[in-house]
Amino acid sequence: MTKTLNIGMVGYGFMARAHSNAWANVSHFFETGYRPALKAIVGRNVSKVRRVADMFGYESVETDWRVLIERKDIDAIDVCVPNDLHAEISIAAAKAGKMVLCEKPLARTEAEGLPMVDAVEKAGVPNMVWYNYRRVPAVMLIKQMVESGRLGKIFHYRAKFLQDWTISPDVPQGGAGTWRLDVEAAGSGVTGDLLAHCLDTAIWINGSLDSLTAMTETFVKERKNAETGAMQRVGIDDAAAVLTRFQNGSLGTFESTRYARGHKAGYTLEINGEKGSLSWDLHDLNRVQFFDHSVAGAQRGWTNILVTDGDHPYLGKWWVPGLIIGYEHSFTHQVADFLDGLKTGKPAAPSFRDALETTRVCDAIIASGKSGQWISL
Amino acid sequence: MTKTLNIGMVGYGFMARAHSNAWANVSHFFETGYRPALKAIVGRNVSKVRRVADMFGYESVETDWRVLIERKDIDAIDVCVPNDLHAEISIAAAKAGKMVLCEKPLARTEAEGLPMVDAVEKAGVPNMVWYNYRRVPAVMLIKQMVESGRLGKIFHYRAKFLQDWTISPDVPQGGAGTWRLDVEAAGSGVTGDLLAHCLDTAIWINGSLDSLTAMTETFVKERKNAETGAMQRVGIDDAAAVLTRFQNGSLGTFESTRYARGHKAGYTLEINGEKGSLSWDLHDLNRVQFFDHSVAGAQRGWTNILVTDGDHPYLGKWWVPGLIIGYEHSFTHQVADFLDGLKTGKPAAPSFRDALETTRVCDAIIASGKSGQWISL
Amino acid sequence: MTKTLNIGMVGYGFMARAHSNAWANVSHFFETGYRPALKAIVGRNVSKVRRVADMFGYESVETDWRVLIERKDIDAIDVCVPNDLHAEISIAAAKAGKMVLCEKPLARTEAEGLPMVDAVEKAGVPNMVWYNYRRVPAVMLIKQMVESGRLGKIFHYRAKFLQDWTISPDVPQGGAGTWRLDVEAAGSGVTGDLLAHCLDTAIWINGSLDSLTAMTETFVKERKNAETGAMQRVGIDDAAAVLTRFQNGSLGTFESTRYARGHKAGYTLEINGEKGSLSWDLHDLNRVQFFDHSVAGAQRGWTNILVTDGDHPYLGKWWVPGLIIGYEHSFTHQVADFLDGLKTGKPAAPSFRDALETTRVCDAIIASGKSGQWISL
Amino acid sequence: MTKTLNIGMVGYGFMARAHSNAWANVSHFFETGYRPALKAIVGRNVSKVRRVADMFGYESVETDWRVLIERKDIDAIDVCVPNDLHAEISIAAAKAGKMVLCEKPLARTEAEGLPMVDAVEKAGVPNMVWYNYRRVPAVMLIKQMVESGRLGKIFHYRAKFLQDWTISPDVPQGGAGTWRLDVEAAGSGVTGDLLAHCLDTAIWINGSLDSLTAMTETFVKERKNAETGAMQRVGIDDAAAVLTRFQNGSLGTFESTRYARGHKAGYTLEINGEKGSLSWDLHDLNRVQFFDHSVAGAQRGWTNILVTDGDHPYLGKWWVPGLIIGYEHSFTHQVADFLDGLKTGKPAAPSFRDALETTRVCDAIIASGKSGQWISL
């Protein structure tokens, strides 16, 4: 028997739309035993939130998240608001006994995230953080190949997340579309927004970091506040680069920026091992590049795997070989895994606790960017 | 006020799932004034059709399409069954005053398709054929660029659709998954299945064909019947290649096969004009390659346009720049355009009449493949 | 003991420079037992030919090829002049007992080429036609892989050679740089100039053609004569496309044009077989793309082989892995193979007789382009 | 009148062959007023050096470089031996009044290189270090485009040089082919061998570095000595990664390793500026990727420039558009520029002094790799 899972969405922006789509379409493709119901969506601006509610078919609209959390007809709270609100809402939801799904990064700092972990663990509620790129089939394939030993001992892990949307000094900070430039709301700049994705994937695939040193920069020192119009000092990092040693002895390099012209969502990663290498690019997210050193010399090279076949992760649920999927599907897969986890009792990773590690590394990057020192993790 | 459009789906296979997804999610992204309701789905195998109905949330199930067509609560019939059934169902639906959306190709032959055109035109019902690749944003961008004169006079149009799924002689013909190999059900092989897509796009972008000559081949001469197990002569074309002259004086080459190892849904096209060239590949469907001859010599080259920005066709409705969409979105766009057409009174192309031209060209390819002669169109 | 081979070069244009470079540098990399000596170079314009002679270090200059052929100190004549002069010079050289190396295509027509074949065979002199692309290491690797059965039964052979240098109607015909547009000098347009390369490679790798049909076009009907300034009807084919059946049952498609914006030396080929596929692009001539169907499903894809390792054809003589070679090296390899052939007594292919077959196919393409009929070869 | 420049080559290994090829063929393509003569080549193993001498046509062979330097008939000494011999030979050559061309890096350390700079400057002899990648036409095009302001203000410079040839612990250190693993002979590992190339290009294009921090690693701690067979501690860096700030305010990341499976000569660079970005890959050295932000939004992308046209740097001397050149041509261009410099009196960069800066940065990388501290340059 299929059970209904009543979803309460907090937020109605870009990420809330991505999550809503996943809740709405997961049952069309995955038979998990659960059918999400889009029960309610919260936003302070009632006309704007109603428009999103109408589009996705949410049954009701609220303007106060506290009211949502008090509602008995809600099973799971999905937190899709700026980072500075993650902790309060998540903790309240956990205390109310709701499942909590929080947008990444977990919190602005480890200190802020720790009570969130405590809250969900104390409440014993299923919890998850939306590091969605783990569920891109190509990335999952990489995880499986590394785990099965196809690369052997790992020497290098390399990841970048490049964007170019804040180059103009006229982009304001704060406000609906630009809260990511406001250090109060975001906690950090590219480190928490972009590097956090790279780090989550890296730790998942290659294990924990041992130590790191970082360089951070704020290219545009002052920006107008989107709401007040006043010029303000910019507190976020516009760019960050990291040298790191993993606990398994491999070396890592990470870089992120919003000042790399021509890159929009330029998340790339590469792993070099004794027996082979793997790489991936979010812009062509259905492809994995695999160098297999075991192939005969004259025919060896980088194999461009189009990850669309039925024996690729998640792909058996979609179309036929050769037909690609997109960005949003990673969320559908995350929901499917979350629902599967409810059935098996083993909620899908990353949990709040898993995600806390990534936030701890982000803190170290910001600190090292200031001190210039190596930091042990 | 948003109106409801009640959909009756005929078929529950791969294409029916792709269409159902589009009907189900169009309102999440496009505000057309219409909200499709998945009212009923038809299939002879009641348990199989019920499973698909449950996944997509169809309100009811039928086992006879005639019953569906008689239902007063259905506005539009979506015909997603093998080609030999398109005509009968579409004509009956039109006669019943339903809107008709028919999977491509319109029919097995022009002769079979002509009464379908007559039926929908006589009934005056909105009608459309699902040549979905027109609605890939990159393909739409190409259409717009050619139309705006960016390529100048056209010299060459080149398209291929390559697959590799029937190389094994053990693949049977007929039956649910393999009716495309049965000439009775399909009408032709790669010509109607794959070249038809290439031709629809070509005619849309570059105008009608003037004449053609073709080569067709059936590599595997006999296959087992999927239902009876008996060996039977194969009647379809496994591969087809075409030389053609367009009415605008440009030359066209088209090729399709299911015997090209390594190609899954390998639809590629390229257009060469006096001022530039454009090309596209379905496997990387979010990209357009553009050679702009007007750029200064030393900096000229093929520009790889990642078609994910808000100013690209349809993309403003989806995510943020850099985040790609997939195969299924072409159907969502086609539904959105169809619903827009209902509002404006100008139904979205290609209509049954438009699609009849493609079928006429397919007939000529099959005929020329037999005669070895050039055929005027 | 290293023997000296005295070279007499006829012509001093682009191709003569490419050949001269090969004669000059072959001994720096290949130990064949022969060392070419650049003995003499011929050209009617004495100041121009002397400049090239000085650059490459030719010991002497002649202004009449007949004088060169009479010289006792010349062992081999290299014919690098427009196509209409190939026959007379080659035949005279053979009669004088010289080895003859003729630029491709052998002749303007099979009828013109036949006495050339007779002459070299009657004289018993080593002879070769400069279809240099066979000696690109990547192409040689493809030849070896097909021959060793890596692709299994072949279904499709596909080649194109695209350029864009004659789109402007202001390009004249005839004269030094533009004799390729003059049907008298060239014999044909893209067919003899470009398709001939594609055909030579195809026949070498995939065997002889059985039959073909072709479409040819002359987009610019009249051009100015480069020498007289008078407008003249254009006699060459600007574009040609071919459908063909090989004797081994595979299907071929060939296309060539000088009207494809963005393509400079756009020779590409692809071969699809039961077990895999191979493709190559002259613009990236050090790479082969290989799809190996025998790889496990989830890790299958197109492998991009960078052909620069010591175990790749010819590469052991050049640099270290990863360091690419260029266009001109194909000529050095052809000279090396020719010199090896002198030692072994088995001159390097293609001989005049081998190359006659390609010219016969070119004749058929031009004829079919006019008649619209299939032609048996 | 063309003057003869008599070359004395010290060494006969891989690099000596690359240089010899350039000296031998420069006059075939570039008219500089000088014609190099391959006068003498030096090596301790007489049979091996004689073989190379025979292949390239050196007029004489020496077994002691001191004898070569004393010869009156030698104008220029080309130093192509392991790094530990650069200083002694170069200084002696300069004192003897010879022009000196030294393979990179200039020396094992800045301390060792400083007297070399003094020597050539005191002697007033033309001098150059073979940082050949500056003369790849694509890299020169990037230099010109950055200099002309096409990128505007620079934010990021990113370079890597990845190889995979020392992963096996069975590769020895020391000896003819493996002296690069011996810290005594090489000075450092990937830093002096590979990063030095990246740094030379970066400083040339983007200006001097202000400060850096680095991470270095030796994955294989002990290797057999190639000559003695004894196991020895490995003193070189197998991998190095660098964070740096340029004096112009941009951020740099550099990485090099010999443990990146699938990379052979994987030198890649990318520059991000306010108005655009540029990137390049040595494996496809004829291509530049250019993102031009000034192009209209919907048609913006990365343009793949095939650097083979007559208006590209150096290319007018080679073949016709579309026909690529290779690795070795960078040396021919460097020789051509050196010879041009003799004519103009302005020797081609980088001079010994220019190259000293790169060595200083290499020293800082090794030091920071040990200390973990940022170093000011």
Side-chain angles (χ1 to χ4, degrees):
Chain A
M1 282 306 300
T2 296
K3 296 181 193 164
T4 297
L5 187 80
N6 289 320
I7 306 301
M9 175 69 59
V10 186
Y12 58 87
F14 164 61
M15 288 314 306
R17 290 201 304 122
H19 293 197
S20 297
N21 177 66
W23 292 117
N25 80 358
V26 65
S27 305
H28 302 169
F29 301 97
F30 293 83
E31 293 168 298
T32 63
Y34 286 85
R35 178 180 303 275
L38 280 64
K39 210 68 184 176
I41 183 167
V42 177
R44 278 172 298 188
N45 183 317
V46 70
S47 73
K48 285 187 183 170
V49 72
R50 189 168 297 285
R51 183 175 167 216
V52 174
D54 283 350
M55 292 182 80
F56 282 95
Y58 278 95
E59 295 175 22
S60 61
V61 160
E62 300 286 353
T63 55
D64 183 344
W65 60 264
R66 288 171 190 83
V67 174
L68 183 77
I69 284 175
E70 283 166 17
R71 279 174 55 167
K72 301 294 180 204
D73 62 344
I74 302 293
D75 300 315
I77 298 292
D78 188 345
V79 183
C80 284
V81 286
N83 304 344
D84 56 333
L85 301 172
H86 288 188
E88 186 181 6
I89 299 173
S90 296
I91 291 169
K95 285 186 176 163
K98 310 296 192 194
M99 305 177 194
V100 196
L101 302 102
C102 184
E103 179 52 28
K104 51 65 55 185
L106 178 66
R108 289 174 295 180
T109 60
E110 186 187 11
E112 188 176 59
L114 204 48
M116 298 171 72
V117 175
D118 288 344
V120 294
E121 293 189 349
K122 193 167 169 188
V125 293
N127 58 91
M128 189 176 68
V129 178
W130 292 91
Y131 280 110
N132 61 300
Y133 294 128
R134 293 192 185 193
R135 264 72 180 199
V136 171
V139 177
M140 183 61 83
L141 178 63
I142 288 175
K143 164 74 170 168
Q144 293 172 353
M145 289 173 72
V146 172
E147 226 165 47
S148 71
R150 290 306 303 264
L151 300 197
K153 177 178 165 53
I154 305 299
F155 295 116
H156 294 284
Y157 192 104
R158 212 171 282 121
K160 295 196 294 279
F161 204 136
L162 309 182
Q163 298 187 334
D164 69 358
W165 66 285
T166 67
I167 293 180
S168 167
D170 298 336
V171 177
Q173 57 179 319
T178 46
W179 63 264
R180 286 178 176 80
L181 281 77
D182 173 10
V183 73
E184 268 311 300
S188 66
V190 295
T191 296
D193 186 25
L194 306 179
L195 274 185
H197 275 300
C198 301
L199 293 166
D200 174 73
T201 317
I203 294 169
W204 180 53
I205 292 177
N206 198 39
S208 292
L209 278 59
D210 178 75
S211 57
L212 65 78
T213 190
M215 166 174 71
T216 55
E217 179 65 84
T218 305
F219 288 112
V220 175
K221 311 293 187 193
E222 290 203 319
R223 290 185 184 273
K224 200 180 286 188
N225 182 291
E227 280 158 356
T228 68
M231 289 300 285
Q232 295 177 318
R233 192 175 157 283
V234 175
I236 59 155
D237 45 308
D238 285 342
V242 183
L243 306 179
T244 185
R245 293 175 185 275
F246 284 84
Q247 291 184 3
N248 67 5
S250 59
L251 305 183
T253 59
F254 291 86
E255 186 184 358
S256 186
T257 182
R258 292 177 185 143
Y259 286 71
R261 274 283 179 238
H263 299 278
K264 300 301 173 185
Y267 178 10
T268 55
L269 65 86
E270 178 171 333
I271 316 172
N272 305 131
E274 189 179 0
K275 300 181 186 170
S277 291
L278 284 161
S279 77
W280 174 77
D281 181 341
L282 175 56
H283 284 173
D284 298 290
L285 65 83
N286 297 274
R287 294 184 177 276
V288 164
Q289 310 290 331
F290 176 36
F291 183 87
D292 183 357
H293 189 64
S294 70
V295 170
Q299 292 164 23
R300 217 179 265 154
W302 285 85
T303 297
N304 189 323
I305 306 172
L306 183 64
V307 185
T308 60
D309 281 6
D311 50 3
H312 287 134
Y314 304 108
L315 263 305
K317 305 297 186 183
W318 296 99
W319 315 112
V320 297
L323 300 178
I324 69 170
I325 61 172
Y327 163 74
E328 74 214 45
H329 298 71
S330 58
F331 295 97
T332 302
H333 300 160
Q334 188 147 6
V335 166
D337 287 348
F338 181 79
L339 298 178
D340 272 338
L342 295 185
K343 194 165 52 186
T344 63
K346 184 160 166 291
S351 67
F352 276 32
R353 181 164 291 280
D354 297 332
L356 189 66
E357 179 172 355
T358 296
T359 292
R360 181 184 314 130
V361 177
C362 290
D363 286 2
I365 291 168
I366 296 297
S368 175
K370 286 174 182 153
S371 71
Q373 300 298 310
W374 278 83
I375 294 181
S376 288
L377 291 159
Chain B
M1 283 304 302
T2 298
K3 295 181 193 165
T4 297
L5 187 79
N6 289 319
I7 307 300
M9 175 69 59
V10 186
Y12 58 88
F14 164 61
M15 288 314 306
R17 290 200 304 121
H19 294 197
S20 296
N21 177 67
W23 292 116
N25 80 358
V26 66
S27 306
H28 303 168
F29 301 97
F30 293 83
E31 292 168 298
T32 62
Y34 285 85
R35 179 179 302 276
L38 281 64
K39 210 68 186 177
I41 183 168
V42 176
R44 277 172 298 187
N45 182 317
V46 71
S47 74
K48 286 187 180 170
V49 72
R50 190 168 296 285
R51 182 175 167 217
V52 174
D54 283 350
M55 292 181 79
F56 282 94
Y58 277 95
E59 296 175 20
S60 61
V61 160
E62 300 286 353
T63 54
D64 183 344
W65 60 265
R66 287 172 191 82
V67 174
L68 183 78
I69 285 175
E70 282 164 19
R71 278 173 57 167
K72 301 294 181 205
D73 62 344
I74 301 294
D75 300 315
I77 298 292
D78 188 345
V79 182
C80 286
V81 287
N83 305 344
D84 55 333
L85 301 173
H86 288 187
E88 186 180 7
I89 299 173
S90 296
I91 291 169
K95 285 187 177 163
K98 310 297 191 195
M99 306 177 193
V100 195
L101 301 102
C102 184
E103 179 51 29
K104 51 66 51 185
L106 179 66
R108 290 175 294 181
T109 60
E110 186 188 12
E112 188 176 59
L114 204 47
M116 297 171 73
V117 176
D118 287 345
V120 292
E121 293 189 349
K122 193 166 171 190
V125 293
N127 58 91
M128 189 175 69
V129 177
W130 291 92
Y131 280 110
N132 61 301
Y133 293 127
R134 293 192 185 194
R135 264 73 180 198
V136 171
V139 176
M140 183 61 82
L141 179 63
I142 287 175
K143 163 73 171 169
Q144 293 171 353
M145 290 174 71
V146 171
E147 224 165 50
S148 72
R150 290 304 303 265
L151 301 197
K153 176 178 166 54
I154 305 299
F155 295 117
H156 293 282
Y157 192 103
R158 213 172 280 122
K160 294 197 293 280
F161 206 137
L162 308 183
Q163 298 185 334
D164 68 357
W165 65 285
T166 67
I167 293 180
S168 165
D170 298 336
V171 177
Q173 58 179 318
T178 46
W179 64 264
R180 284 178 177 80
L181 281 77
D182 173 10
V183 73
E184 267 312 298
S188 66
V190 295
T191 296
D193 185 25
L194 305 179
L195 274 185
H197 275 300
C198 301
L199 293 165
D200 174 72
T201 317
I203 294 169
W204 181 52
I205 293 177
N206 198 39
S208 292
L209 278 58
D210 178 76
S211 56
L212 65 80
T213 190
M215 166 174 71
T216 56
E217 179 65 83
T218 305
F219 287 113
V220 175
K221 311 293 186 193
E222 289 202 321
R223 291 185 184 273
K224 199 180 287 188
N225 182 291
E227 282 157 356
T228 68
M231 289 300 285
Q232 294 178 318
R233 196 177 153 279
V234 174
I236 59 156
D237 45 308
D238 285 341
V242 183
L243 306 179
T244 182
R245 293 173 185 278
F246 283 84
Q247 290 183 6
N248 67 5
S250 60
L251 306 184
T253 58
F254 292 86
E255 186 184 359
S256 187
T257 182
R258 291 176 186 145
Y259 286 71
R261 272 284 178 236
H263 299 280
K264 300 301 174 185
Y267 177 11
T268 56
L269 66 85
E270 179 171 331
I271 316 172
N272 306 130
E274 189 179 359
K275 300 180 185 172
S277 291
L278 284 161
S279 77
W280 174 78
D281 181 341
L282 175 56
H283 285 174
D284 297 290
L285 64 82
N286 297 274
R287 295 185 176 276
V288 164
Q289 310 290 331
F290 176 37
F291 183 88
D292 182 357
H293 189 65
S294 70
V295 170
Q299 293 163 23
R300 217 178 265 154
W302 286 84
T303 298
N304 189 325
I305 306 171
L306 183 63
V307 185
T308 60
D309 282 6
D311 51 3
H312 287 133
Y314 303 108
L315 264 304
K317 304 298 185 183
W318 296 99
W319 315 112
V320 297
L323 300 178
I324 68 170
I325 59 171
Y327 162 74
E328 74 214 45
H329 298 72
S330 58
F331 295 98
T332 301
H333 300 161
Q334 188 146 6
V335 165
D337 287 349
F338 181 79
L339 298 177
D340 271 339
L342 295 185
K343 194 164 52 185
T344 63
K346 183 159 168 291
S351 66
F352 276 32
R353 179 164 292 282
D354 297 333
L356 189 65
E357 179 172 357
T358 295
T359 292
R360 182 184 313 128
V361 176
C362 289
D363 287 2
I365 290 169
I366 296 297
S368 175
K370 287 175 181 153
S371 72
Q373 300 298 312
W374 277 83
I375 294 181
S376 289
L377 291 159
Chain C
M1 285 305 300
T2 297
K3 296 181 194 164
T4 298
L5 188 79
N6 289 320
I7 307 301
M9 174 69 60
V10 186
Y12 58 88
F14 165 60
M15 288 313 306
R17 290 201 305 122
H19 294 197
S20 296
N21 177 67
W23 291 116
N25 80 357
V26 66
S27 306
H28 302 169
F29 301 97
F30 293 83
E31 293 168 297
T32 63
Y34 286 85
R35 179 179 302 276
L38 280 65
K39 210 69 185 176
I41 184 168
V42 177
R44 278 171 298 186
N45 182 317
V46 70
S47 73
K48 286 187 181 169
V49 73
R50 190 168 297 283
R51 182 175 167 218
V52 174
D54 283 350
M55 293 182 79
F56 282 94
Y58 278 95
E59 295 175 22
S60 63
V61 160
E62 301 285 355
T63 55
D64 183 345
W65 59 265
R66 288 173 189 82
V67 174
L68 183 79
I69 285 176
E70 282 165 16
R71 280 174 55 167
K72 300 295 181 204
D73 62 344
I74 302 293
D75 300 316
I77 298 293
D78 188 345
V79 183
C80 284
V81 286
N83 304 344
D84 55 334
L85 301 172
H86 287 188
E88 186 181 7
I89 299 173
S90 296
I91 291 169
K95 284 186 176 163
K98 310 296 192 196
M99 306 178 192
V100 196
L101 302 102
C102 184
E103 179 51 29
K104 51 65 52 184
L106 179 67
R108 290 175 294 181
T109 60
E110 185 188 13
E112 189 176 57
L114 203 48
M116 299 172 72
V117 175
D118 288 344
V120 294
E121 293 189 347
K122 194 167 170 190
V125 293
N127 58 91
M128 189 175 69
V129 177
W130 292 92
Y131 280 110
N132 61 301
Y133 294 126
R134 292 191 185 194
R135 264 73 180 199
V136 171
V139 176
M140 182 62 80
L141 179 63
I142 288 175
K143 164 73 172 169
Q144 292 172 353
M145 289 174 72
V146 171
E147 225 165 49
S148 72
R150 291 304 302 266
L151 301 197
K153 176 178 167 53
I154 305 299
F155 295 117
H156 292 283
Y157 192 104
R158 212 172 281 121
K160 295 197 293 277
F161 205 136
L162 309 182
Q163 298 186 333
D164 68 358
W165 66 284
T166 67
I167 294 179
S168 166
D170 298 335
V171 177
Q173 59 179 317
T178 45
W179 64 264
R180 284 179 175 80
L181 281 77
D182 173 10
V183 73
E184 267 311 299
S188 65
V190 295
T191 296
D193 186 24
L194 306 179
L195 274 186
H197 275 301
C198 302
L199 294 165
D200 174 72
T201 316
I203 294 169
W204 180 53
I205 292 177
N206 199 39
S208 292
L209 278 59
D210 178 75
S211 57
L212 65 79
T213 190
M215 165 174 72
T216 56
E217 179 65 85
T218 304
F219 287 113
V220 175
K221 311 292 188 194
E222 288 203 322
R223 291 185 184 274
K224 199 181 286 187
N225 182 291
E227 282 157 356
T228 68
M231 290 299 286
Q232 294 177 319
R233 196 180 153 278
V234 175
I236 59 154
D237 44 308
D238 284 342
V242 183
L243 306 179
T244 183
R245 293 175 185 275
F246 284 85
Q247 290 183 4
N248 68 5
S250 60
L251 306 183
T253 58
F254 292 86
E255 185 183 0
S256 187
T257 181
R258 292 178 185 142
Y259 286 72
R261 272 284 180 238
H263 299 279
K264 299 302 172 182
Y267 178 10
T268 55
L269 66 85
E270 179 171 330
I271 316 172
N272 304 131
E274 189 178 359
K275 300 179 186 171
S277 290
L278 285 160
S279 77
W280 174 79
D281 181 341
L282 176 55
H283 283 174
D284 297 291
L285 64 82
N286 297 274
R287 294 184 177 276
V288 164
Q289 310 289 333
F290 176 37
F291 183 88
D292 182 357
H293 189 64
S294 70
V295 170
Q299 292 163 22
R300 217 179 265 154
W302 285 84
T303 298
N304 189 325
I305 306 172
L306 184 63
V307 185
T308 60
D309 282 6
D311 51 2
H312 288 134
Y314 303 107
L315 263 304
K317 304 298 185 182
W318 296 99
W319 316 113
V320 297
L323 300 178
I324 69 170
I325 59 171
Y327 162 73
E328 73 214 45
H329 298 71
S330 58
F331 295 98
T332 301
H333 299 160
Q334 188 146 6
V335 165
D337 287 350
F338 181 78
L339 297 178
D340 272 339
L342 295 186
K343 194 165 53 185
T344 63
K346 183 159 169 290
S351 66
F352 275 33
R353 180 164 291 282
D354 297 333
L356 189 66
E357 179 171 356
T358 296
T359 293
R360 181 183 314 129
V361 176
C362 289
D363 286 2
I365 291 169
I366 297 297
S368 175
K370 287 175 181 154
S371 72
Q373 300 298 311
W374 278 82
I375 294 182
S376 289
L377 290 160
Chain D
M1 283 306 302
T2 297
K3 295 182 195 164
T4 297
L5 188 80
N6 289 320
I7 306 301
M9 175 68 59
V10 186
Y12 57 88
F14 164 60
M15 289 312 307
R17 291 201 304 123
H19 293 198
S20 297
N21 177 67
W23 291 117
N25 81 357
V26 66
S27 306
H28 302 168
F29 300 98
F30 293 83
E31 293 167 299
T32 63
Y34 286 85
R35 178 180 302 276
L38 281 64
K39 210 67 184 176
I41 184 167
V42 176
R44 278 172 298 187
N45 182 318
V46 70
S47 72
K48 286 188 181 168
V49 73
R50 189 167 298 284
R51 182 176 167 215
V52 175
D54 283 350
M55 292 182 80
F56 281 94
Y58 277 96
E59 295 175 20
S60 61
V61 160
E62 301 286 355
T63 54
D64 182 345
W65 60 265
R66 288 171 191 83
V67 174
L68 183 79
I69 285 175
E70 283 164 19
R71 279 174 55 167
K72 301 296 181 204
D73 62 342
I74 302 293
D75 300 315
I77 298 292
D78 189 344
V79 183
C80 283
V81 286
N83 304 344
D84 56 333
L85 301 173
H86 288 188
E88 186 181 6
I89 300 173
S90 295
I91 291 170
K95 285 186 177 163
K98 310 296 192 196
M99 305 177 192
V100 196
L101 302 103
C102 184
E103 180 51 28
K104 52 63 57 183
L106 179 66
R108 288 174 296 181
T109 61
E110 186 187 14
E112 189 177 56
L114 204 47
M116 298 171 71
V117 175
D118 288 344
V120 294
E121 294 190 347
K122 193 166 169 189
V125 293
N127 58 89
M128 189 175 68
V129 178
W130 291 92
Y131 280 110
N132 61 301
Y133 294 127
R134 292 192 185 193
R135 264 73 181 199
V136 171
V139 176
M140 183 61 82
L141 178 63
I142 287 175
K143 163 74 172 168
Q144 293 172 353
M145 289 174 72
V146 171
E147 225 165 49
S148 72
R150 291 304 304 265
L151 301 196
K153 177 177 166 54
I154 305 298
F155 295 117
H156 293 283
Y157 192 104
R158 212 172 283 122
K160 293 196 296 277
F161 205 136
L162 309 182
Q163 297 186 335
D164 68 358
W165 65 285
T166 68
I167 293 180
S168 166
D170 298 335
V171 177
Q173 58 179 319
T178 46
W179 64 265
R180 284 180 176 80
L181 281 77
D182 173 10
V183 74
E184 268 311 299
S188 66
V190 295
T191 296
D193 186 26
L194 306 179
L195 274 186
H197 275 301
C198 302
L199 294 165
D200 174 73
T201 317
I203 295 169
W204 180 54
I205 292 178
N206 199 38
S208 292
L209 278 58
D210 178 75
S211 56
L212 64 80
T213 191
M215 166 174 70
T216 56
E217 179 65 82
T218 305
F219 288 113
V220 175
K221 311 293 187 194
E222 289 201 321
R223 289 185 185 274
K224 201 180 287 188
N225 182 290
E227 282 157 356
T228 68
M231 290 300 284
Q232 295 178 317
R233 194 177 153 279
V234 175
I236 59 156
D237 45 307
D238 285 342
V242 183
L243 306 180
T244 183
R245 293 175 185 276
F246 284 85
Q247 290 184 4
N248 67 5
S250 60
L251 306 183
T253 58
F254 291 86
E255 186 184 359
S256 187
T257 182
R258 294 179 184 140
Y259 287 72
R261 274 282 178 238
H263 299 280
K264 301 301 174 184
Y267 178 12
T268 55
L269 66 85
E270 179 169 332
I271 315 171
N272 304 131
E274 189 179 359
K275 300 180 185 170
S277 291
L278 284 161
S279 76
W280 174 78
D281 182 341
L282 175 56
H283 284 174
D284 297 290
L285 65 82
N286 297 274
R287 295 184 176 275
V288 164
Q289 310 289 332
F290 176 38
F291 184 87
D292 183 357
H293 189 63
S294 70
V295 169
Q299 292 163 24
R300 217 179 266 154
W302 285 85
T303 298
N304 190 323
I305 306 172
L306 183 64
V307 186
T308 59
D309 281 7
D311 50 3
H312 288 133
Y314 304 107
L315 264 304
K317 304 298 185 182
W318 297 99
W319 315 113
V320 297
L323 299 179
I324 69 169
I325 59 171
Y327 163 73
E328 74 215 44
H329 299 71
S330 59
F331 295 98
T332 301
H333 300 159
Q334 188 146 5
V335 165
D337 287 350
F338 181 78
L339 298 178
D340 272 339
L342 296 185
K343 194 164 54 185
T344 63
K346 184 159 167 292
S351 67
F352 275 33
R353 181 165 290 280
D354 297 333
L356 189 66
E357 179 172 356
T358 296
T359 292
R360 182 184 313 129
V361 176
C362 289
D363 286 1
I365 290 168
I366 296 296
S368 175
K370 287 174 182 155
S371 71
Q373 300 299 310
W374 278 81
I375 295 181
S376 288
L377 291 159

